[in-house]
Amino acid sequence: MALVELRNVHKSFQRDTQVIEVFENLTLDVAERSFTALMGPSGSGKSTLLNLIAGLDRPTSGTITVAGAKVNAMPPTALAAWRARHIGFVFQSYNLLPVLTAFQNVELPLLLAPLSRKQRDERVRIALGVVGLDDRLQHYPRQLSGGQEQRVAIARAIVSDPTLILLDEPTGQLDKRAAEEVLALLQRLNSELHKTIIIVTHDAHAAEKAKQVLHLEKGVLAA
Amino acid sequence: MKLLPLVLANLRRHRLRTLLTTLGVALATFLFASLRSVVTTLNAGAEVASASRMGVQNATAIVFPLPLSYRERLAAVPGVAAVTWANWFGGLYGDGKTFFAQFAVDPETYLAMYPEISVPPGQKEAFLHERTAALVGKGLMEKVGWRLGQDVTIRGTIYPGDWTFTIRAVYTPTVRAMDDRSFLFHYDYLYERTDHRATPGWYALQLSDPSHAASVAQTIDAMFRNSSAPTKTMTEKAFNQSFVTMWGNVQFLMNSIGMAVVFAILMVTANAMMMTARERTGEVAVLKTIGFTDRTLFGLVMAEASVVTLSGAVLGLGGAKLLYAGTGFNGFGFLPGFDVTPATLALGFGITLLLAVASGIVPALRAARLSIVQALRHVE
Ligand SMILES: Nc1ncnc2c1ncn2[C@@H]1O[C@H](COP(=O)(O)OP(=O)(O)O)[C@@H](O)[C@H]1O
Ligand SMILES: [Mg+2]
């Protein structure tokens, strides 16, 4: 059984009187410990797919199962708790709360878990160590470079040891070198720490780092 | 509780806005406490008023005097056991910054009618037998630093000239609501030095039976109805209130101002909370993505509104309590025993809680209901 299973997923958006069909009948399996790159033109439904898997949005019909849990059928509060436990999500930008330090930003998911201050402290330091920023604990986002900000966001996505890490164009606003660093980090997370990762990207070079590339074209998947 | 640092961090985001909003709430609650304490102090003063005493003032307003000849006619009214009278002197002392009330009284009858003005017997004798002697409240003695036997010169405003008195006695009120910062001297001295122009400002009556108050008042007011100075006779309670409220319906005024202030600050606070919430749409979406529930986000916004309004209230209400107690404020003698009561503080905090809810509810609901997908589309 695959870690992520989408079966006959139909998703449409209603905008005023107009109905936008994103997926008519999407089926997808993502294996545990895989590293998948999702490519495709703008508007093809990449973000929508990621949001559905993360339980940020619901399909119009069809089922989405992640690690045995029926994501599409969970009530909102249970879904939030499930997300805290199983999903690490990184957006293209605006990931970090500007009023919190790097440490506090990474700590956020742990505040939802029954952990002592000492346990939280330990895990935050480990996560920031993994992304190579254990010397920036007390820095605020505005004191960090774009690449560092994204690495803090990745640290936050891994700090509660989630089942699945989802990234929506995480390198979209980074320069080449910073993007390289982020991708190398993801590769390490996958190969050394065996994290299951799905990354949306425009960049063919970035996609090469993944073990598997999926192309999305007008709501239809192709390998 | 673990989330408190997040609440505080958000409040630090726009320090100036948070500071101004907090100070706004502080000022509003301070004004609320002050205005309401005027009302409660007046009421407390009226409560301790003796039911067996009545006041007689000019029907037009208390600032207009009554003829001295009324004392015999009042004394002759059935049910009236004793009569005394007094006058508001309204002078200035020193550089004019030290305010206190001065009353010209008929010493013998006045002290007899007001046993709550307690004077040591020896001093009382000295005061009664010297025409320019003064009887001064203990609080005023301490405030200005006067000593017994000292000469004090007061500059007349209603009755011009320098008036020098010798402090011969100090009184201590036996009830809290009675002013301990008044300055009393002989009415005769005032009357003679003004060539008999300073006629009594008001009369006070002792009744032989409090239950006849209404009929006594009727008899007196009917007696003077067609004279040059018609009277208004009322219970001491009503009289005390009218004395302090000579410039209008204080209670109504105070309550209206109080409500207007609270309403104004509600607008300011609500606006600040709305601005704050609108700026943070993206952050709310991120927190929800991380797994924060709608309920938690609702709580975070409400907590923020509560911290701002409650710290403002602690400053404003606590400040009022401490300031008035510390300075012994008494409304320049008009508000003896001025105090911010526990009930006023409780009411102030109650209103603050309502303020927190009213200003926080809309942005809190908005944060709770925010759809992650919609929010992120707007941000990116
Ligand atoms: N919340 C939404 N409301 C209405 N239309 C949406 C919404 N989200 C996405 N869409 C539409 O769905 C399609 C797929 O969008 P998206 O998943 O963001 O594409 P991609 O991430 O591949 O650029 C687009 O046509 C987009 O306009
Ligand atoms: Mg997208």
Side-chain angles (χ1 to χ4, degrees):
Chain A
M1 192 170 135
L3 184 69
V4 179
E5 294 182 356
L6 279 78
R7 294 288 175 267
N8 311 109
V9 168
H10 173 209
K11 176 68 183 174
S12 58
F13 288 107
Q14 179 94 36
R15 196 184 287 161
D16 302 325
T17 55
Q18 189 187 0
V19 177
I20 301 159
E21 298 287 348
V22 185
F23 306 122
E24 308 250 350
N25 188 358
L26 188 75
T27 290
L28 168 68
D29 282 342
V30 177
E32 200 169 353
R33 298 188 173 193
S34 63
F35 184 0
T36 307
L38 189 57
M39 298 190 69
S42 184
S44 58
K46 304 182 297 295
S47 296
T48 303
L49 179 54
L50 227 49
N51 292 344
L52 288 173
I53 296 172
L56 300 180
D57 202 356
R58 289 176 193 276
T60 312
S61 67
T63 58
I64 298 168
T65 314
V66 178
K70 271 237 161 50
V71 178
N72 56 290
M74 263 189 254
T77 306
L79 193 57
W82 174 83
R83 228 173 12 243
R85 175 69 202 82
H86 293 282
I87 300 292
F89 208 114
V90 178
F91 299 106
Q92 180 170 357
S93 53
Y94 303 102
N95 277 297
L96 303 183
L97 271 61
V99 292
L100 300 182
T101 61
F103 182 98
Q104 290 172 317
N105 264 289
V106 175
E107 191 187 19
L108 282 172
L110 302 181
L111 296 176
L112 302 172
L115 296 173
S116 70
R117 173 186 279 273
K118 194 162 160 287
Q119 288 169 315
R120 295 201 302 268
D121 199 87
E122 231 168 76
R123 293 194 193 189
V124 171
R125 280 167 200 279
I126 291 171
L128 278 167
V130 168
V131 302
L133 287 174
D134 35 2
D135 56 344
R136 295 284 192 281
L137 300 182
Q138 299 311 325
H139 284 57
Y140 285 90
R142 67 185 135 73
Q143 299 168 319
L144 300 171
S145 70
Q148 288 172 329
E149 273 193 61
Q150 283 307 60
R151 277 148 65 196
V152 173
I154 291 170
R156 187 177 65 200
I158 61 173
V159 73
S160 50
D161 193 21
T163 310
L164 188 57
I165 300 171
L166 305 170
L167 307 96
D168 195 349
E169 302 190 34
T171 59
Q173 297 200 339
L174 301 183
D175 61 44
K176 213 164 169 227
R177 238 190 83 205
E180 270 313 318
E181 277 175 14
V182 167
L183 290 167
L185 170 62
L186 293 176
Q187 250 183 335
R188 243 182 63 228
L189 287 175
N190 176 248
S191 58
E192 291 172 20
L193 302 173
H194 309 297
K195 298 286 174 195
T196 311
I197 299 176
I198 306 177
I199 175 175
V200 167
T201 181
H202 272 308
D203 179 3
H205 174 70
E208 277 171 23
K209 309 276 182 192
K211 287 188 197 156
Q212 160 183 219
V213 180
L214 294 175
H215 291 273
L216 197 55
E217 192 94 37
K218 291 189 183 134
V220 178
L221 277 172
Chain B
M1 264 304 115
K2 283 192 285 189
L3 298 180
L4 191 63
L6 181 56
V7 173
L8 298 180
N10 274 326
L11 288 171
R12 282 197 297 269
R13 177 184 316 238
H14 295 290
R15 279 164 206 266
L16 188 62
R17 186 194 294 167
T18 303
L19 184 73
L20 289 177
T21 311
T22 309
L23 288 182
V25 175
L27 186 64
T29 49
F30 179 85
L31 288 175
F32 168 82
S34 306
L35 297 175
R36 196 180 140 75
S37 296
V38 170
V39 175
T40 58
T41 304
L42 287 181
N43 287 343
E47 287 316 318
V48 302
S50 163
S52 66
R53 288 191 298 236
M54 299 194 85
V56 183
Q57 66 167 67
N58 191 302
T60 311
I62 195 168
V63 291
F64 296 105
L66 293 168
L68 188 56
S69 61
Y70 280 16
R71 64 188 157 172
E72 285 85 16
R73 299 180 66 185
L74 288 169
V77 172
V80 173
V83 178
T84 191
W85 62 94
N87 219 325
W88 173 255
F89 184 68
L92 299 173
Y93 172 71
D95 56 7
K97 281 182 189 140
T98 314
F99 285 100
F100 52 87
Q102 305 112 31
F103 299 101
V105 302
D106 182 55
E108 202 108 29
T109 55
Y110 198 83
L111 292 180
M113 190 166 306
Y114 294 100
E116 33 311 26
I117 300 176
S118 161
V119 186
Q123 293 181 18
K124 186 169 173 177
E125 286 305 302
F127 171 60
L128 291 178
H129 294 116
E130 187 176 334
R131 212 171 66 102
T132 56
L135 167 60
V136 180
K138 188 164 167 283
L140 182 60
M141 292 294 282
E142 285 165 6
K143 184 180 165 201
V144 190
W146 286 333
R147 284 178 322 278
L148 204 61
Q150 180 174 344
D151 281 355
V152 170
T153 301
I154 293 173
R155 200 153 21 94
T157 54
I158 308 169
Y159 309 105
D162 278 349
W163 299 68
T164 301
F165 304 95
T166 310
I167 301 173
R168 288 300 177 205
V170 176
Y171 74 85
T172 315
T174 58
V175 292
R176 175 169 163 69
M178 171 156 242
D179 177 31
D180 71 345
R181 292 188 178 188
S182 287
F183 187 100
L184 310 180
F185 62 90
H186 289 229
Y187 173 79
D188 284 350
Y189 179 36
L190 174 70
Y191 189 61
E192 279 154 33
R193 229 187 106 168
T194 57
D195 293 326
H196 301 187
R197 279 190 300 107
T199 60
W202 63 93
Y203 286 93
L205 313 175
Q206 180 80 52
L207 303 184
S208 45
D209 182 350
S211 63
H212 294 151
S215 68
V216 168
Q218 249 173 0
T219 310
I220 293 172
D221 292 345
M223 186 160 79
F224 296 115
R225 180 154 301 135
N226 297 315
S227 73
S228 61
T231 57
K232 189 157 109 195
T233 304
M234 54 199 131
T235 61
E236 183 168 279
K237 179 170 171 169
F239 182 77
N240 283 358
Q241 282 172 337
S242 96
F243 183 77
V244 185
T245 62
M246 52 178 111
W247 14 274
N249 188 339
V250 172
Q251 190 140 344
F252 176 75
L253 186 74
M254 297 291 150
N255 285 335
S256 320
I257 299 175
M259 288 324 288
V261 164
V262 168
F263 191 72
I265 203 62
L266 171 64
M267 306 303 270
V268 171
T269 317
N271 183 52
M273 287 306 300
M274 288 300 268
M275 280 166 77
T276 303
R278 212 166 294 140
E279 292 159 359
R280 270 188 237 158
T281 310
E283 290 169 36
V284 169
V286 167
L287 288 172
K288 287 194 177 189
T289 302
I290 288 172
F292 282 67
T293 60
D294 297 353
R295 185 187 293 237
T296 305
L297 282 155
F298 179 87
L300 282 172
V301 177
M302 283 312 245
E304 225 173 283
S306 304
V307 169
V308 168
T309 52
L310 285 177
S311 36
V314 167
L315 274 180
L317 297 174
K321 177 81 189 169
L322 294 180
L323 182 76
Y324 292 130
T327 59
F329 175 79
N330 68 354
F332 313 119
F334 284 103
L335 297 167
F338 187 89
D339 184 29
V340 182
T341 62
T344 296
L345 294 178
L347 191 64
F349 276 110
I351 290 175
T352 307
L353 279 180
L354 286 181
L355 186 70
V357 172
S359 62
I361 190 88
V362 172
L365 280 176
R366 184 178 289 195
R369 288 179 184 159
L370 184 83
S371 139
I372 304 174
V373 178
Q374 296 295 351
L376 290 174
R377 275 176 67 81
H378 290 135
V379 167
E380 295 198 359

